[in-house]
C-alpha cells in the first residue's frame, strides 16, 4: 500500500464515504490525507462543484482556512443562499431540511473566515427570518396564480437573486431543488442566469414546468393568455429541449371549458406554429376512439361538454368522432328514462321528454339524421345504461322505424352483445322483452363459438398459445391473463348481423328482416383516414412528444405536488373523474357468460360453450366459485367440469383454476367432454324443453345417489330384493369381463356341514368378506389426469433435450415447465391423498391401494398389490 502513487491514493479516497478508517492504515496515508489539496479534491470529486461546499461545511474537522480557499479557487459554487442557511444553522436558527449538526462542527475561527469571504463577495447579507433568497422564490411560487402587478416579488428582485447573488439549490434535501424548475416556468427569463450558475434543466421536468405555465389562475385577468404565450415562446427559445408535449396539450384540452385562457393560449400557439405537432392530432378521431369510447368517462356530463367544445373548434367527418358525440348525447342526458321497455312516448311523459331533448341536441350539433347503423352502434356501446329504452324509443318515434326494422335492430344488438362481456344485464332485458331472441342466441352460440382441440394453436408455438384467446367470456376487468382479443374493442364497428336462417322469429309483431351486415361494417375509406392519421403521428414520435391521456391539467398538477411516497402507493388519483372514469367497463354490470348459464341452464349446450371460453380466457368471474357438493340442487347449478377442459389448458400451457380441482376432490361426475351429458339435439343448437330438463334432472339425481353409496350393504329383503337393487344400480352398464369373475376369491369353508356356511350367508363371516370396490369419479379423474401429467412430462423431457442439444457446451440453460404442468404436478398428489382418505373412511384403515387400468373395451380389471421384496440374510 505504501508503494502506491499519490494519484491512486486520491482515487481510492474519493470513493469512500467515510475515509477516516482508510487514513489509519499507515503513516504515509495519514500524512497524505492531511494535505489541504487532497481534502479539497475529495469534496470536489465526490460531490461536484455545486454541493462541494455544503458537504465540506458538514465535516468541521477536515475544514480549515486553506481548504476553503482551495475550494473557492477550484470552482466550488458559493451562493448567498448557502451563506444565509449556514448562518441560520450555526447560530441556532432552525433550517427545516437540515437535521444534522452540519456547520456546528466547524471551529469558530474557521467559520468566521468563511463569513468574511462571503461578506467580501455579497456585501451586507440579510439574515432575518423570511428574508433569505429561498423565501423570496417561494413567495413567487405562492403568488404565481396572481396577476404580475399583484405579486410581492417583483421581476427585478427575483433577477438579482439569481444573477447577482448566484442562487442555486445546494442540497438534494432542499425543497427548492424540486421547486426551482417551477420558478423558471413562471419567469423563463431567469433560465440564462440559472445556467451560468451551473443549473441544468433536466428533460424530466418538461411536463412539470409547462403544466404550471398553463395552470388556472385564482383570479381571471385578460392578459393571462398573452402571458402564457410569452412564457412558452421564451422558454422554448432559450432551451431547445423545453417544448410543449402532446401529453400536456391533451390535459389542457380536457379543461377547455374550465380553463379558457389556457385553451385559448394553446390554440394561439398552434396557429403561430410554436408547437411541434398539429393540435388536430391530439383531438383527432383516432385518439378520441381509444380514449373515450372504451372508458366510463364518456358517460360523465363534464366529458360531454368538453368533447362538444373541442368538436366545435375542430370539426371532423370521421364516423368515430360522430359516434362518440352521439354517445355523449344519449348517455349524459340528465332526463330519467323508465326501466320498462314496454313504455312508449305516448304512455310516459319522461320518456317523451328524453327523446325530444336528445333530438334537439343532435340537430343543434348537426349530427342527424341517424340511421339503423347509428342506433345499433350506440346500443352496442359498453356504457349504454340498462335503461336503454330511450334509444329504442328514439328510433321508433323520431326515425319512424316499423316493427320489422325494430326487431332487426334488437336481434343485431343481441348477437353483437355476446362478445362484449359486460352486456349481460342488457341481454337479459332484451330476451325478457323479446322471447324469440332466446332461440336465436342459442343457435348462434352453437354455430359460431364451438371450440375443439383442433382449433387451438400447436403446443410448440409458445407465443401463439400465450396470446390465444376466444371472443366469449373475455376478462374485461383484466384480472386474469390478458388475451389477444380485446373484448368489445371492435364490437361497435364490425358487428356480425343476424343471418336469415336463424333470425326468423314467429310472433305477432313480425319477422326479423334479412341481411343488415353491410349497415354496420365500417367503410374502407374510414380505415384509410385512420391510417393516415396514424402515419402522421408516427412521424413525430421520434421527438418524444408524449402520449395522449384523458387526465385534466389540474389532476396532473396535484400529482406533481404529491409526495413521492404517497404517489407510488395510491397513484395520486382521489376523485371520481380521475379513477373511476378510466375503467373500461360500466358500473353494476353482469357478465354475459353468467347470464347465459342462468338463462339456458347449467346443463345446456350454451353453458358448456361458455364454460370452455371462460376456461381458455381464465375468466374466474364466470367460472364457479362455490365449492361442489353432492346434492342434486348443486349439480344443476354448475356447469360440469370435463377432461376436455384440462386438455385445452394443457395445449395452451395455462393454469387450471383451483375450483376445478376442488370439484374433482368433492366427487364431481367424470365426463370426457360435453357430449357425454348433452344430447345430439342440444349440441345441434336446440333449446331443451322443460319436460326434457326434468328428465335430465332425474338422471342426475340417480347418478348422485349411486355415487354417494358405491358399496351398498347386504339387503334384508332376501335374494329377490338384492337382485332388484343390484339391477337398478347396474342399469345401463356393461357386463363385467369374465376375467373379473375368475379373479373373485371364494370364501366358502371346505368340509363344512353347515348349509348356512356353505352357502356363504353367515352374518359373522360376512364381515370378513372382501368385496371388489367400485371405481369412483375421483379415481377416474386421477387416472386420466395422471395420463395427462405423464404426457406433459414427456413433452418437457423432449423440449429439454432439444434445448440442451442446441446450447453450446458448458453453458447452463434452464428449461421451464408450463404453468399447466406445474399446477397439475402440485395438485394431483392432493387428489390422491383426498381419495385415500375417503376410502379409509369407508372401508377401514387397512384398505389396499388399488389401481384401475383401462382396457380396450373401456372396462376395468382388478389388480392386486405386489408383495414387498424381503432381504435375504447371508
Amino acid at each position: 500500500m505504501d508503494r502506491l502513487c499519490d494519484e491512486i491514493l486520491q482515487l481510492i479516497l474519493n470513493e469512500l464515504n467515510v475515509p477516516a478508517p482508510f487514513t489509519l492504515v499507515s503513516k504515509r496515508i495519514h500524512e497524505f490525507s492531511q494535505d489541504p489539496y487532497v481534502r479539497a479534491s475529495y469534496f470536489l470529486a465526490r460531490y461536484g462543484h455545486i454541493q462541494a461546499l455544503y458537504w465540506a461545511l458538514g465535516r468541521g474537522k477536515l475544514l480549515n482556512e486553506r481548504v476553503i480557499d482551495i475550494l473557492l479557487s477550484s470552482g466550488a459554487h458559493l451562493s448567498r443562499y448557502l451563506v444565509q442557511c449556514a448562518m441560520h444553522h450555526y447560530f441556532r436558527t432552525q433550517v427545516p431540511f437540515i437535521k444534522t449538526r452540519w456547520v456546528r462542527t466547524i471551529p469558530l475561527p474557521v467559520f468566521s473566515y468563511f463569513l468574511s469571504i462571503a461578506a467580501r463577495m455579497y456585501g451586507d447579507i440579510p439574515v432575518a427570518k423570511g428574508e433569505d433568497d429561498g423565501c423570496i422564490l417561494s413567495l413567487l411560487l405562492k403568488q404565481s396564480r396572481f396577476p404580475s402587478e399583484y405579486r410581492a416579488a417583483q421581476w427585478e428582485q427575483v433577477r438579482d437573486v439569481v444573477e447577482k447573488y448566484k442562487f442555486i439549490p445546494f442540497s438534494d434535501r432542499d425543497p427548492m431543488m424540486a421547486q426551482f424548475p417551477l420558478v423558471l416556468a413562471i419567469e423563463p427569463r431567469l433560465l440564462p442566469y440559472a445556467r451560468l450558475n451551473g443549473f441544468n434543466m433536466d428533460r424530466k421536468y418538461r411536463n412539470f414546468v409547462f403544466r404550471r405555465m398553463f395552470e388556472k389562475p385564482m383570479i381571471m385577468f385578460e392578459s393571462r393568455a398573452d402571458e402564457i404565450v410569452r412564457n412558452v415562446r421564451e422558454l422554448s427559445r432559450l432551451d431547445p429541449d423545453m417544448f410543449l408535449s402532446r401529453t400536456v396539450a391533451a390535459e389542457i384540452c380536457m379543461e377547455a371549458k374550465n380553463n379558457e385562457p389556457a385553451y385559448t393560449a394553446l390554440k394561439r400557439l398552434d396557429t403561430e406554429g410554436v408547437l411541434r405537432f398539429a393540435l388536430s392530432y391530439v383531438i383527432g378521431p383516432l385518439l378520441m376512439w381509444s380514449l373515450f369510447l372504451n372508458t366510463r368517462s364518456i358517460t360523465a356530463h363534464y366529458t360531454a361538454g368538453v368533447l362538444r367544445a373541442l368538436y366545435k373548434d375542430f370539426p371532423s367527418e370521421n364516423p368515430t368522432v360522430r359516434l362518440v358525440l352521439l354517445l355523449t348525447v344519449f348517455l349524459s342526458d340528465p332526463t330519467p328514462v323508465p326501466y320498462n321497455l314496454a313504455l312508449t312516448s305516448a304512455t310516459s311523459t319522461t320518456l317523451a321528454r328524453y327523446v325530444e331533448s336528445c333530438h334537439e341536441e343532435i340537430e343543434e350539433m348537426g349530427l342527424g339524421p341517424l340511421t339503423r347503423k347509428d342506433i345499433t352502434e350506440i346500443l352496442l356501446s359498453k356504457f349504454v345504461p340498462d335503461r336503454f329504452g330511450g334509444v329504442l324509443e328514439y328510433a321508433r318515434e323520431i326515425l319512424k322505424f316499423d316493427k320489422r326494422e325494430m326487431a332487426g335492430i334488437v336481434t343485431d344488438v343481441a348477437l353483437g352483445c355476446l362478445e362484449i362481456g359486460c352486456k349481460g344485464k342488457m341481454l337479459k332485458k332484451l330476451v325478457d322483452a323479446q322471447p324469440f331472441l332466446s332461440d336465436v342466441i342459442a343457435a348462434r352460440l352453437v354455430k359460431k363459438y364451438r371450440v375443439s382441440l383442433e382449433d387451438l394453436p400447436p403446443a410448440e408455438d409458445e407465443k401463439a398459445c400465450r396470446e390465444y384467446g376466444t371472443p366469449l367470456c373475455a376478462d374485461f376487468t383484466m384480472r386474469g391473463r390478458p388475451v389477444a382479443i380485446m373484448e368489445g374493442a371492435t364490437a361497435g364497428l364490425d358487428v356480425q348481423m343476424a343471418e336469415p336462417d336463424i333470425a326468423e322469429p314467429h310472433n305477432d309483431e313480425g319477422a326479423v328482416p334479412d341481411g343488415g351486415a353491410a349497415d354496420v361494417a365500417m367503410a374502407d375509406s374510414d380505415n384509410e383516414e385512420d391510417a393516415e392519421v396514424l402515419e402522421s403521428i408516427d412521424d413525430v414520435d421520434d421527438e418524444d412528444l408524449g402520449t395522449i391521456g384523458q387526465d385534466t391539467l389540474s389532476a396532473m398538477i396535484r400529482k406533481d405536488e404529491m409526495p413521492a411516497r404517497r404517489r407510488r402507493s395510491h397513484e395520486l388519483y382521489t376523485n371520481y373523474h380521475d379513477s373511476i372514469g378510466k375503467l373500461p367497463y360500466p358500473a353494476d354490470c353482469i357478465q354475459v357468460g353468467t347470464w347465459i348459464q342462468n338463462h339456458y341452464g347449467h346443463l345446456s349446450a350454451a353453458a358448456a360453450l361458455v364454460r370452455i371460453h371462460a376456461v381458455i380466457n381464465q375468466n374466474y368471474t364466470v367460472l364457479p366459485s362455490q365449492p361442489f357438493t353432492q346434492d342434486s340442487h348443486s349439480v344443476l347449478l354448475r356447469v360440469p367440469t370435463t377432461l376436455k377442459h384440462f386438455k385445452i389448458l394443457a395445449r395452451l400451457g395455462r393454469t387450471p383454476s383451483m375450483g376445478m380441482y376442488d370439484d374433482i376432490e368433492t366427487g364431481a361426475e367424470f365426463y370426457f367432454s360435453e357430449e357425454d351429458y348433452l344430447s345430439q339435439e342440444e349440441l345441434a343448437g336446440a333449446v331443451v324443453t322443460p319436460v326434457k330438463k326434468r328428465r335430465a334432472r332425474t338422471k342426475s339425481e340417480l347418478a348422485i345417489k349411486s355415487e354417494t353409496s358405491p358399496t351398498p350393504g347386504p339387503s334384508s329383503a332376501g335374494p329377490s330384493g338384492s337382485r332388484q337393487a343390484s339391477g337398478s344400480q347396474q342399469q345401463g352398464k356393461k357386463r363385467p369381463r369374465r376375467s373379473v369373475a375368475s379373479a373373485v376369491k371364494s370364501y366358502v369353508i371346505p368340509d363344512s356341514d353347515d348349509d348356512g356356511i356353505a352357502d356363504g350367508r353367515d352374518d359373522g363371516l360376512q364381515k370378513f368378506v372382501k368385496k371388489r370396490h367400485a371405481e369412483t369419479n375421483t379415481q377416474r379423474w386421477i387416472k386420466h389426469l395422471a395420463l395427462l401429467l405423464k404426457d406433459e412430462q414427456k413433452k418437457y423431457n423432449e423440449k429439454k433435450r432439444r434445448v440442451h442439444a442446441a446450447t453450446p457446451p458448458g453453458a447452463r440453460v434452464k428449461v421451464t415447465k408450463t404453468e399447466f404442468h406445474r399446477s397439475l404436478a402440485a395438485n394431483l398428489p392432493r387428489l390422491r391423498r383426498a381419495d385415500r382418505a375417503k376410502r379409509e373412511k369407508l372401508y377401514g384403515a387397512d384398505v389396499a391401494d388399488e389401481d384401475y387400468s383401462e382396457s380396450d373395451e373401456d372396462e376395468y380389471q382388478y389388480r392386486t398389490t405386489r408383495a414387498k421384496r424381503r432381504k435375504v440374510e447371508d
Side-chain angles (χ1 to χ4, degrees):
M1 186 67 70
D2 292 337
R3 298 179 181 180
L4 294 177
C5 61
D6 294 345
E7 289 79 4
I8 299 298
L9 293 177
Q10 182 71 62
L11 293 175
I12 296 175
L13 200 67
N14 294 343
E15 297 298 326
L16 301 176
N17 188 32
V18 182
F22 179 70
T23 61
L24 301 178
V25 172
S26 65
K27 183 178 180 180
R28 176 176 177 266
I29 297 178
H30 179 72
E31 293 176 352
F32 174 77
S33 64
Q34 301 302 314
D35 191 346
Y37 286 97
V38 173
R39 295 182 177 182
S41 300
Y42 169 78
F43 291 113
L44 289 170
R46 185 166 182 80
Y47 302 108
H49 291 77
I50 295 177
Q51 300 190 28
L53 267 175
Y54 166 74
W55 290 97
L57 292 174
R59 301 288 183 87
K61 295 181 179 180
L62 302 179
L63 195 64
N64 53 37
E65 293 83 351
R66 185 59 178 159
V67 175
I68 294 176
D69 293 337
I70 295 174
L71 284 172
L72 293 176
S73 61
S74 299
H77 187 81
L78 177 61
S79 62
R80 191 176 75 167
Y81 178 54
L82 175 61
V83 178
Q84 291 170 334
C85 291
M87 294 172 66
H88 291 171
H89 191 265
Y90 192 85
F91 297 107
R92 301 302 190 269
T93 304
Q94 182 181 6
V95 179
F97 61 91
I98 297 178
K99 306 299 182 183
T100 62
R101 295 187 62 192
W102 195 38
V103 295
R104 296 170 187 171
T105 61
I106 304 175
L108 182 59
V110 178
F111 190 71
S112 300
Y113 181 76
F114 171 74
L115 292 180
S116 64
I117 294 177
R120 289 197 302 268
M121 292 179 62
Y122 300 116
D124 187 15
I125 300 176
V127 294
K129 184 177 181 180
E131 293 184 359
D132 60 90
D133 297 343
C135 292
I136 294 175
L137 296 182
S138 298
L139 182 61
L140 176 66
L141 289 177
K142 292 179 181 178
Q143 299 178 350
S144 61
R145 301 171 67 183
F146 294 172
S148 302
E149 55 272 14
Y150 295 124
R151 295 173 185 170
Q154 299 299 321
W155 156 247
E156 292 77 10
Q157 184 182 7
V158 175
R159 181 193 60 191
D160 291 342
V161 168
V162 180
E163 179 186 12
K164 184 177 179 180
Y165 302 120
K166 310 297 181 185
F167 177 87
I168 192 171
F170 55 82
S171 173
D172 293 336
R173 299 177 181 178
D174 188 356
M176 285 304 301
M177 183 67 74
Q179 295 175 358
F180 192 59
L182 295 180
V183 176
L184 301 180
I186 299 171
E187 289 291 349
R189 292 173 289 181
L190 296 175
L191 183 58
Y193 309 124
R195 283 183 172 177
L196 292 177
N197 295 337
F199 179 79
N200 183 24
M201 179 75 78
D202 197 329
R203 297 183 65 184
K204 68 181 180 181
Y205 292 109
R206 184 170 55 203
N207 293 343
F208 180 65
V209 168
F210 280 101
R211 286 183 184 124
R212 296 304 293 263
M213 280 188 179
F214 288 86
E215 186 179 10
K216 182 181 179 181
M218 296 181 63
I219 303 176
M220 288 291 183
F221 51 95
E222 296 180 358
S223 60
R224 175 59 179 168
D226 299 333
E227 181 182 350
I228 294 175
V229 173
R230 182 178 65 253
N231 291 340
V232 172
R233 283 178 182 171
E234 189 69 15
L235 186 58
S236 302
R237 182 184 64 84
L238 295 174
D239 191 347
D241 290 334
M242 299 300 293
F243 56 86
L244 187 66
S245 65
R246 293 186 304 187
T247 303
V248 180
E251 296 166 3
I252 298 170
C253 291
M254 288 302 298
E255 289 190 352
K257 298 192 68 176
N258 293 346
N259 193 358
E260 295 183 2
Y263 181 59
T264 302
L266 181 64
K267 291 191 293 183
R268 284 181 53 184
L269 292 172
D270 177 56
T271 305
E272 297 172 5
V274 180
L275 303 180
R276 299 193 179 186
F277 53 87
L279 190 57
S280 58
Y281 294 150
V282 177
I283 55 181
L286 186 63
L287 299 176
M288 271 191 171
W289 153 258
S290 61
L291 287 179
F292 299 105
L293 209 56
N294 286 327
T295 55
R296 198 184 295 181
S297 60
I298 196 172
T299 61
H301 184 72
Y302 174 81
T303 304
V306 171
L307 294 181
R308 293 175 189 179
L310 296 178
Y311 178 75
K312 183 178 180 180
D313 294 335
F314 297 90
S316 175
E317 298 296 334
N318 190 285
T320 305
V321 177
R322 183 170 177 269
L323 175 60
V324 171
L325 294 173
L326 289 175
L327 286 173
T328 62
V329 172
F330 287 102
L331 302 185
S332 62
D333 194 284
T335 307
V337 179
Y339 185 84
N340 190 359
L341 293 181
L343 296 178
T344 61
S345 299
T347 58
S348 173
T349 56
T350 56
L351 186 60
R353 189 164 55 252
Y354 172 83
V355 171
E356 186 63 26
S357 175
C358 293
H359 180 63
E360 291 177 358
E361 293 181 7
I362 291 174
E363 293 298 327
E364 181 181 355
M365 289 188 291
L367 301 177
L370 271 63
T371 61
R372 172 181 171 178
K373 169 188 170 183
D374 298 327
I375 298 298
T376 305
E377 289 180 344
I378 292 170
L379 293 174
L380 284 176
S381 172
K382 294 187 292 185
F383 306 99
V384 173
D386 53 344
R387 300 179 302 168
F388 58 91
V391 182
L392 294 176
E393 182 61 22
Y394 180 91
R396 187 184 301 109
E397 184 70 20
I398 303 299
L399 303 182
K400 305 301 180 181
F401 287 166
D402 56 15
K403 293 183 179 180
R404 180 181 179 86
E405 290 176 322
M406 292 301 299
I409 291 176
V410 169
T411 304
D412 297 339
V413 171
L415 297 180
C417 289
L418 294 178
E419 298 185 12
I420 308 176
C422 56
K423 303 282 280 187
K425 184 178 293 187
M426 185 173 181
L427 275 175
K428 182 179 183 301
K429 287 198 63 179
L430 286 175
V431 174
D432 292 343
Q434 305 289 341
F436 72 88
L437 291 176
S438 179
D439 296 340
V440 175
I441 294 175
R444 171 58 65 91
L445 287 172
V446 175
K447 181 177 181 180
K448 183 180 179 182
Y449 297 105
R450 299 191 67 172
V451 178
S452 61
L453 290 174
E454 291 75 15
D455 301 329
L456 304 178
E460 294 77 13
D461 192 349
E462 297 182 359
K463 181 179 180 181
C465 291
R466 185 169 56 252
E467 297 177 353
Y468 181 79
T470 53
L472 294 183
C473 296
D475 189 5
F476 58 84
T477 60
M478 304 307 289
R479 289 177 296 189
R481 177 190 301 272
V483 295
I485 297 178
M486 293 298 295
E487 64 89 22
T490 58
L493 296 182
D494 189 8
V495 182
Q496 297 295 332
M497 291 299 182
E499 297 182 6
D501 56 345
I502 62 173
E504 294 181 0
H506 299 282
N507 54 9
D508 298 336
E509 297 182 0
V512 177
D514 299 339
D519 294 340
V520 181
M522 291 291 291
D524 295 338
S525 59
D526 302 336
N527 298 331
E528 294 175 359
E529 183 178 349
D530 291 345
E532 292 177 359
V533 175
L534 184 60
E535 291 176 0
S536 302
I537 295 175
D538 291 339
D539 294 339
V540 293
D541 278 343
D542 297 336
E543 300 184 36
D544 191 20
L545 297 180
T547 58
I548 306 299
Q550 53 180 313
D551 297 298
T552 61
L553 186 65
S554 301
M556 298 308 296
I557 290 176
R558 290 198 307 269
K559 175 180 179 179
D560 294 337
E561 294 176 348
M562 189 171 292
R565 181 181 304 175
R566 186 178 177 187
R567 186 186 312 155
R568 289 191 300 267
S569 303
H570 303 284
E571 280 300 318
L572 72 98
Y573 297 114
T574 56
N575 60 30
Y576 179 86
H577 297 291
D578 293 337
S579 56
I580 305 299
K582 292 183 178 180
L583 295 178
Y585 54 90
D588 191 22
C589 59
I590 297 178
Q591 293 264 3
V592 171
T594 303
W595 173 81
I596 291 176
Q597 294 177 5
N598 296 334
H599 179 73
Y600 293 100
H602 292 71
L603 297 179
S604 62
L609 291 175
V610 165
R611 179 65 184 268
I612 294 177
H613 285 253
V615 166
I616 293 176
N617 294 330
Q618 295 185 307
N619 190 340
Y620 301 114
T621 306
V622 177
L623 296 176
S625 57
Q626 299 295 331
F628 179 84
T629 56
Q630 287 187 339
D631 59 89
S632 59
H633 182 70
S634 177
V635 171
L636 295 177
L637 293 181
R638 298 176 70 88
V639 182
T641 301
T642 65
L643 186 63
K644 180 180 179 180
H645 298 158
F646 285 92
K647 290 184 177 181
I648 290 175
L649 293 174
R651 173 74 69 86
L652 300 176
R654 300 179 183 177
T655 308
S657 66
M658 294 305 298
M660 299 172 68
Y661 293 114
D662 295 339
D663 290 352
I664 296 174
E665 183 178 352
T666 51
E669 188 76 17
F670 176 84
Y671 298 107
F672 285 99
S673 66
E674 65 275 8
E675 298 178 358
D676 292 353
Y677 63 89
L678 294 176
S679 63
Q680 294 297 327
E681 182 182 4
E682 292 177 302
L683 293 173
V687 179
V688 182
T689 60
V691 176
K692 294 183 179 180
K693 288 184 179 180
R694 287 195 295 270
R695 292 178 181 176
R697 180 173 181 176
T698 304
K699 293 181 180 179
S700 301
E701 293 176 353
L702 292 176
I704 293 170
K705 291 179 181 178
S706 62
E707 173 66 20
T708 53
S709 57
T711 55
S715 175
S716 60
S720 60
S722 301
R723 284 193 298 267
Q724 292 176 1
S726 61
S728 62
Q729 292 178 1
Q730 299 295 332
Q731 183 179 1
K733 295 186 178 180
K734 295 182 180 180
R735 178 181 178 182
R737 301 184 64 187
R738 294 183 179 180
S739 58
V740 178
S742 62
V744 176
K745 298 180 181 180
S746 175
Y747 294 93
V748 178
I749 301 176
D751 300 332
S752 176
D753 297 334
D754 193 344
D755 295 337
I757 297 177
D759 295 339
R761 296 191 304 270
D762 185 70
D763 295 336
L765 292 180
Q766 284 290 339
K767 300 179 180 178
F768 303 96
V769 175
K770 293 186 178 181
K771 297 182 179 181
R772 178 183 178 275
H773 303 152
E775 184 185 28
T776 63
N777 285 317
T778 305
Q779 291 173 336
R780 293 192 70 188
W781 275 113
I782 292 173
K783 178 182 64 175
H784 290 282
L785 292 180
L787 295 177
L788 268 181
L789 181 61
K790 185 177 180 180
D791 294 339
E792 289 296 311
Q793 186 64 36
K794 182 178 179 181
K795 295 177 184 177
Y796 172 74
N797 294 336
E798 294 177 355
K799 177 183 176 181
K800 188 175 182 180
R801 204 176 298 113
R802 291 195 307 267
V803 172
H804 287 173
T807 304
R812 294 184 178 181
V813 179
K814 183 178 180 180
V815 182
T816 60
K817 298 179 181 179
T818 63
E819 296 179 3
F820 177 83
H821 190 179
R822 292 195 296 266
S823 175
L824 189 58
N827 287 279
L828 192 57
R830 161 198 162 191
L831 297 178
R832 288 195 173 103
R833 290 192 299 268
D835 176 64
R836 179 165 181 83
K838 286 183 180 180
R839 290 190 288 112
E840 288 180 354
K841 185 177 180 180
L842 290 174
Y843 310 124
D846 58 344
V847 63
D849 292 334
E850 298 178 353
D851 183 22
Y852 295 89
S853 63
E854 189 173 358
S855 65
D856 296 338
E857 298 180 4
D858 196 17
E859 296 172 351
Y860 303 100
Q861 182 177 357
Y862 177 76
R863 290 184 179 180
T864 58
T865 57
R866 185 171 57 183
K868 297 182 179 179
R869 296 182 180 179
R870 295 183 179 180
K871 184 176 181 181
V872 181
E873 298 181 356
D874 297 336

